[in-house]
Amino acid sequence: MRLGSGTFATCCVAIEVLGIAVFLRGFFPAPVRSSARAEHGAEPPAPEPSAGASSNWTTLPSPLFSKVVIVLIDALRDDFVFGSKGVKFMPYTTYLVEKGASHSFVAEAKPPTVTMPRIKERETPLPNLLVLCGDHGMSETGSHGASSMEEVNTPLILISSAFERKPGDIRHPKHVQQTDVAATLAIALGLPIPKDSVGSLLFPVVEGRPMREQLRFLHLNTVQLSKLLQENVPSYEKDPGFEQFKMSERLHGNWIRLYLEEKHSEVLFNLGSKVLRQYLAALKTLSLSLSTQVAQYDMYSMMVGTVVVLEVLTLLLLSVPQALHRKAELEVPLSSPGFSLLFYLVILVLSAVHVIVCTSAESSCYFCGLSWLAAGGVMVLASALLCVIVSVLTNVLVGGNTSRKNPVHPSSRWSELDLLILLGTAGHVLSLGASSFVEEEHQTWYFLVNTLCLALSQETYRNYFLGDDSEPPCGLHVEQGLDGATPAWQDGSACDALERDKGHRSPSPSQVLRGHKKWMVLASPWLILACCRLLRSLNQTGVQWAHRPDLGHWLTSSDHKAELSVLAAISLLVVFVLVQRGCSSVSKAALALGLLGVYCYRAAIGSVQFPWRPDSQDISKGIIEARFVYIFVLGILFTGTKDLLKSQVIAADFKLKTVGLWEIHSGLVLLAALLFRPHNLPVLAFSLLIQTLMTKFIWKPLRHDAAEITVMHYWFGQAFFYFQGNSNNIATVDISAGFVGLDTYVEIPAVLLTAFGTYAGPVLWASHLVYFLSSETRSSSALSHACFCYALICSIPVSTYIVLVTSLRYHLFIWSVFSPKLLYEGMHLLITAAVCVFFTAMDQTRLTQS
């Protein structure tokens, strides 16, 4: 079956999204949850165990405290309270810890950092409880979120008059888990323990109560944890904690029978102490088992997703020669899997592995929980991909033997730009294996973009000053250049043809451009380099230098609102000047009113100010202004779509399609201007300026082919992702973009707006790529080549990264550094799939017109 390169790439990315989804579901463990939901009503508490005797305690114990006041201090490290720093900066707290009526602990927070639970407060004449704690610690540099001792150890101090303390009683803080707080406070307030809690009771809180109450508290906690274990671990009966719980419950029943017979005896006390120790050991083991279950990877699902993704990447790499051929078509042997012995053999093997893994798994597995229809579909897909890979590989090897008999032209070589693209892509992929490079990935893209500008400068100087009018190098290019005459994936015959046609070459750039245009071509790489340097100063991102002041912080301070207002107004004006040139008259008016509405929206919420109202205090949510802009965004997008549909009917009207594509690009620019914070509007203006410079003075004069232009768009899109202030940290996602123009939280619009606001840089550069290749080239295969290259260059990092993350899953920074980056890669692949669909749709339009 013959498919176009773009259609083939789009299908591959869609399959890759499926593989990444399965991998993510296995990598991020499902939380331990109880199947009993709140809508079914609260379950009655477990009755007190009894061995033949009838116990009358079937209700929850009475509360121990009337009120609980929680003092939660952000980033409170344990040595800020218990060490010498506590004596200096928190003397009264240190006094309470050492001599007051309190219990102190060192609570360990599990990375990534979570917030302490909220507790409701019921009033009775009982003592009060003050809880002093921190949500997490901090490193010596003031950051947090990683796994160092300084960041995970936090103080936990419980202060109440109910806690008796004898003179000279020195208590050293014990290490506990932060999850123990929820169970402890529930028991302290006479409430049911949360069903999903994996923590255990902090026993010092209740050690002053009578023995029967202590055992009752511990019994309720162990019953809750054992139920949670039964609902989440298939082989719960073999768990040591569950066995200890059953033993404790039997001993507790014996103690209850003895207690009802005689309430005061030494035997009763000794047996009660034994039951107490047994319960505490069972609690510790059960809590550990459940915590381990939370942090356990679903390796089977991860492997299934990895296999699918790597198969897609292998197929893309093997298809490069055909996909970048002049025809932009390739033969996909879809019919062979149905009749291939290998296909059925792989299906049987995968089915056997699936049965073995799912029947012997001791923990829950997402892929095993799927229906046989869904799991079988994935296995059929993996088998079909393998058979297609084998078929394509066989064709490549056969073609390789033929090419060895007919060697390529001896002058074939790769250009400097080709080598930069290859080495840059490889270097970026290899850098993902180091946590520091992941944290500071923006530096990698800044370096690649700057190096690209220098390479383009060298190319322009060589063409204009050295008179390099020789034929294009025979290397990795697409076969149709911007003028339809530059060879791309060239073999020996193509190079021979070039040798024969030396006298009929198109004129070189130095012969075409004269005067000021020539000097603009020479100066453009340096202007772009200067723009990138300015943008780097706008937002400090990453980890190492994120704390340093930048231009963005200076602009957003309340003392510089006037400067921010001027900069925002100038940026919006530049955006209008650069965008309106390709719009129809109606879209120009809509764009102007929309950008005016953007400024009015920011003025309404107090970010910027009007010159005639510098001290305005009328601050609102800007709902009306934002929706005013949305109307113009939808209007421009509708106009562009209408023009594209018209161009399909009127095949000869090529200009109508060009205008339609630019209007769609303009609508996305207007939406980005609305969602960007005011200090980030220069990022949008510089993005459009660089696109204009590259279009007029680099891509057209130097006649780069579609593959090179695609990679350059991709690199600049990634760089502008970080110019916006984004990083591989989830905390840098600007969620306020999801609430622009909304009264309340609406899930789907909020998600879409946040995603677009975050990935506006890559999306705008991708939409510009579609416009440029559709309007500036006459090649029927340019969009197909671009779609394939875009899919390939996005697939290589994500495929490599999931392998790296799997091998580094026990790394110290797996949750604080590598897993957020994994989420970004998954979302980026989803955006890439949408971009490839747009590429393919525009390519089909061009084929229809042809």
Side-chain angles (χ1 to χ4, degrees):
M1 179 179 179
R2 298 197 69 82
L3 289 177
S5 300
T7 305
F8 173 75
T10 303
C11 294
C12 286
V13 175
I15 297 174
E16 203 168 11
V17 169
L18 173 64
I20 287 293
V22 175
F23 179 87
L24 290 176
R25 184 57 181 79
F27 181 82
F28 291 98
V32 173
R33 294 191 182 278
S34 172
S35 59
R37 297 268 64 93
E39 57 266 19
H40 298 149
E43 293 183 2
E48 194 176 39
S50 58
S54 59
S55 172
N56 58 355
W57 199 349
T58 58
T59 60
L60 284 173
S62 300
L64 305 179
F65 304 97
S66 169
K67 238 183 233 182
V68 171
V69 178
I70 301 177
V71 180
L72 179 63
I73 302 177
D74 184 35
L76 183 63
R77 213 163 66 186
D78 61 329
D79 62 336
F80 289 178
V81 175
F82 301 134
S84 58
K85 296 179 181 178
V87 177
K88 181 178 180 182
F89 297 108
M90 305 182 72
Y92 182 68
T93 304
T94 304
Y95 167 77
L96 291 177
V97 168
E98 295 178 351
K99 300 180 180 179
S102 66
H103 292 293
S104 56
F105 309 90
V106 175
E108 180 183 344
K110 296 293 184 184
T113 305
V114 295
T115 306
M116 302 288 275
R118 293 173 291 179
I119 302 295
K120 295 182 179 178
E121 306 173 3
R122 338 186 286 256
E123 295 186 7
T124 55
L126 292 171
N128 297 329
L129 176 65
L130 176 66
V131 180
L132 175 64
C133 58
D135 54 351
H136 51 77
M138 68 167 67
S139 64
E140 293 297 334
T141 60
S143 62
H144 59 80
S147 309
S148 65
M149 297 295 290
E150 293 82 6
E151 292 170 89
V152 299
N153 286 342
T154 65
L156 174 62
I157 304 172
L158 308 179
I159 305 169
S160 175
S161 59
F163 302 145
E164 298 180 357
R165 189 135 188 193
K166 298 178 181 179
D169 184 9
I170 300 176
R171 300 174 181 174
H172 298 286
K174 298 180 180 178
H175 281 259
V176 297
Q177 297 298 315
Q178 210 176 48
T179 52
D180 297 339
V181 175
T184 302
L185 294 185
I187 289 176
L189 291 171
L191 298 172
I193 300 175
K195 296 182 177 65
D196 298 334
S197 171
V198 298
S200 57
L201 171 67
L202 298 176
F203 184 70
V205 175
V206 300
E207 63 183 356
R209 308 298 296 179
M211 178 66 74
R212 187 180 185 185
E213 290 187 25
Q214 295 181 31
L215 295 179
R216 178 63 170 158
F217 295 144
L218 294 174
H219 177 249
L220 290 173
N221 198 180
T222 50
V223 167
Q224 176 261 327
L225 290 180
S226 64
K227 286 183 178 179
L228 199 59
L229 186 75
Q230 293 177 48
E231 295 174 1
N232 290 274
V233 179
S235 57
Y236 67 92
E237 293 180 346
K238 300 178 183 178
D239 189 88
F242 188 79
E243 295 176 353
Q244 290 176 326
F245 160 67
K246 287 299 183 183
M247 175 65 70
S248 304
E249 203 171 38
R250 284 195 296 270
L251 291 175
H252 191 184
N254 294 333
W255 186 89
I256 290 295
R257 185 183 61 181
L258 186 62
Y259 173 82
L260 295 176
E261 293 174 357
E262 47 179 325
K263 295 189 177 182
H264 303 286
S265 71
E266 186 177 352
V267 175
L268 184 66
F269 177 78
N270 292 336
L271 181 59
S273 300
K274 181 178 180 181
V275 177
L276 204 66
R277 292 192 297 270
Q278 190 75 22
Y279 266 133
L280 291 174
L283 275 177
K284 184 177 181 180
T285 309
L286 284 171
S287 182
L288 180 63
S289 299
L290 289 169
S291 299
T292 303
Q293 179 72 17
V294 170
Q296 190 172 6
Y297 295 102
D298 182 359
M299 289 302 300
Y300 183 43
S301 300
M302 291 170 62
M303 289 298 103
V304 171
T306 302
V307 167
V308 172
V309 171
L310 292 181
E311 284 182 330
V312 171
L313 178 63
T314 304
L315 188 57
L316 284 172
L317 292 173
L318 291 175
S319 304
V320 168
Q322 292 186 66
L324 296 185
H325 194 268
R326 180 182 58 191
K327 295 182 179 179
E329 291 181 349
L330 63 162
E331 185 68 33
V332 182
L334 293 178
S335 59
S336 61
F339 306 95
S340 171
L341 178 63
L342 176 63
F343 174 74
Y344 295 109
L345 181 62
V346 173
I347 284 289
L348 290 176
V349 171
L350 292 180
S351 301
V353 170
H354 183 72
V355 171
I356 293 173
V357 171
C358 295
T359 54
S360 61
E362 296 185 357
S363 59
S364 59
C365 173
Y366 168 73
F367 198 69
C368 292
L370 295 177
S371 64
W372 263 104
L373 182 62
V378 176
M379 288 185 283
V380 168
L381 180 62
S383 304
L385 286 173
L386 180 61
C387 292
V388 172
I389 288 172
V390 172
S391 300
V392 174
L393 183 60
T394 303
N395 294 335
V396 170
L397 292 177
V398 172
N401 293 331
T402 305
S403 63
R404 279 193 291 270
K405 295 178 181 178
N406 302 298
V408 297
H409 193 273
S411 65
S412 62
R413 58 186 175 84
W414 287 50
S415 69
E416 293 87 345
L417 192 58
D418 293 333
L419 293 176
L420 173 61
I421 290 172
L422 179 64
L423 295 177
T425 302
H428 168 249
V429 170
L430 293 176
S431 70
L432 297 178
S435 60
S436 298
F437 278 95
V438 173
E439 291 176 335
E440 308 296 327
E441 188 182 358
H442 60 285
Q443 302 285 5
T444 303
W445 288 111
Y446 296 166
F447 173 79
L448 290 178
V449 167
N450 292 344
T451 307
L452 176 62
C453 291
L454 295 177
L456 292 174
S457 177
Q458 184 266 347
E459 187 175 2
T460 56
Y461 288 165
R462 182 182 61 197
N463 285 335
Y464 281 92
F465 289 122
L466 300 182
D468 187 2
D469 298 336
S470 59
E471 73 276 1
C474 302
L476 178 58
H477 301 279
V478 296
E479 283 219 11
Q480 290 291 332
L482 299 185
D483 56 0
T486 305
W489 183 273
Q490 295 176 342
D491 55 13
S493 60
C495 291
D496 290 336
L498 285 176
E499 288 292 328
R500 291 191 298 268
D501 295 339
K502 278 186 178 179
H504 303 281
R505 289 193 305 267
S506 58
S508 67
S510 59
Q511 297 171 336
V512 174
L513 297 178
R514 300 290 182 185
H516 72 280
K517 287 189 176 181
K518 174 180 178 180
W519 296 108
M520 280 300 300
V521 170
L522 297 174
S524 290
W526 298 100
L527 291 176
I528 296 170
L529 200 61
C531 292
C532 293
R533 185 61 189 91
L534 288 174
L535 289 173
R536 289 183 62 176
S537 304
L538 188 62
N539 292 301
Q540 290 284 1
T541 185
V543 174
Q544 298 295 330
W545 294 278
H547 63 283
R548 291 188 175 182
D550 52 35
L551 187 58
H553 285 93
W554 185 84
L555 288 169
T556 53
S557 65
S558 57
D559 297 333
H560 304 105
K561 184 179 288 188
E563 291 86 346
L564 177 61
S565 302
V566 172
L567 182 63
I570 294 175
S571 299
L572 292 175
L573 182 61
V574 171
V575 169
F576 175 75
V577 171
L578 294 175
V579 173
Q580 58 84 29
R581 57 188 173 86
C583 296
S584 63
S585 56
V586 175
S587 296
K588 286 181 182 180
L591 179 65
L593 292 174
L595 292 174
L596 180 61
V598 169
Y599 192 90
C600 293
Y601 164 72
R602 290 298 170 182
I605 64 175
S607 299
V608 297
Q609 60 191 17
F610 289 111
W612 56 89
R613 297 175 63 188
D615 299 324
S616 175
Q617 300 297 324
D618 299 332
I619 296 177
S620 66
K621 292 184 179 179
I623 303 286
I624 297 176
E625 292 84 353
R627 291 179 178 177
F628 177 79
V629 179
Y630 282 137
I631 292 174
F632 290 110
V633 170
L634 294 176
I636 295 174
L637 292 177
F638 175 78
T639 303
T641 306
K642 180 195 67 175
D643 290 342
L644 287 178
L645 294 177
K646 267 187 176 181
S647 68
Q648 282 191 306
V649 179
I650 308 174
D653 197 349
F654 177 77
K655 184 179 180 181
L656 192 61
K657 179 185 177 182
T658 302
V659 173
L661 285 173
W662 183 257
E663 286 176 335
I664 289 179
H665 179 66
S666 304
L668 296 177
V669 169
L670 179 57
L671 180 59
L674 176 63
L675 300 181
F676 276 17
R677 292 182 182 267
H679 76 278
N680 264 344
L681 288 175
V683 177
L684 184 60
F686 275 118
S687 175
L688 296 170
L689 178 62
I690 292 175
Q691 289 173 359
T692 303
L693 291 174
M694 297 281 280
T695 300
K696 288 187 176 181
F697 304 113
I698 293 181
W699 293 324
K700 285 183 181 179
L702 297 181
R703 297 180 308 214
H704 290 114
D705 56 54
E708 293 172 339
I709 293 173
T710 301
V711 174
M712 284 188 264
H713 273 83
Y714 177 81
W715 281 17
F716 273 100
Q718 290 299 102
F720 273 87
F721 173 81
Y722 294 102
F723 285 146
Q724 292 175 230
N726 293 317
S727 70
N728 288 324
N729 189 343
I730 301 296
T732 57
V733 176
D734 184 11
I735 60 174
S736 65
F739 295 89
V740 175
L742 301 179
D743 281 320
T744 57
Y745 174 73
V746 185
E747 185 174 2
I748 295 179
V751 170
L752 294 177
L753 291 175
T754 303
F756 179 79
T758 303
Y759 289 91
V763 170
L764 291 179
W765 278 86
S767 65
H768 183 270
L769 174 62
V770 176
Y771 162 77
F772 178 80
L773 293 180
S774 299
S775 60
E776 302 296 340
T777 69
R778 293 297 184 267
S779 170
S780 60
S781 58
L783 280 175
S784 292
H785 290 149
C787 183
F788 183 87
C789 292
Y790 200 91
L792 179 61
I793 201 170
C794 291
S795 299
I796 293 175
V798 69
S799 304
T800 307
Y801 192 70
I802 64 172
V803 176
L804 291 173
V805 165
T806 303
S807 61
L808 297 172
R809 62 188 181 278
Y810 298 114
H811 192 278
L812 182 64
F813 301 134
I814 185 63
W815 295 115
S816 58
V817 177
F818 292 104
S819 60
K821 170 63 177 175
L822 182 61
L823 291 176
Y824 275 108
E825 286 293 334
M827 190 62 193
H828 188 206
L829 187 67
L830 187 61
I831 298 291
T832 301
V835 169
C836 288
V837 169
F838 186 54
F839 269 107
T840 304
M842 294 301 100
D843 190 35
Q844 294 300 320
T845 302
R846 167 167 286 197
L847 292 177
T848 302
Q849 293 177 351
S850 300

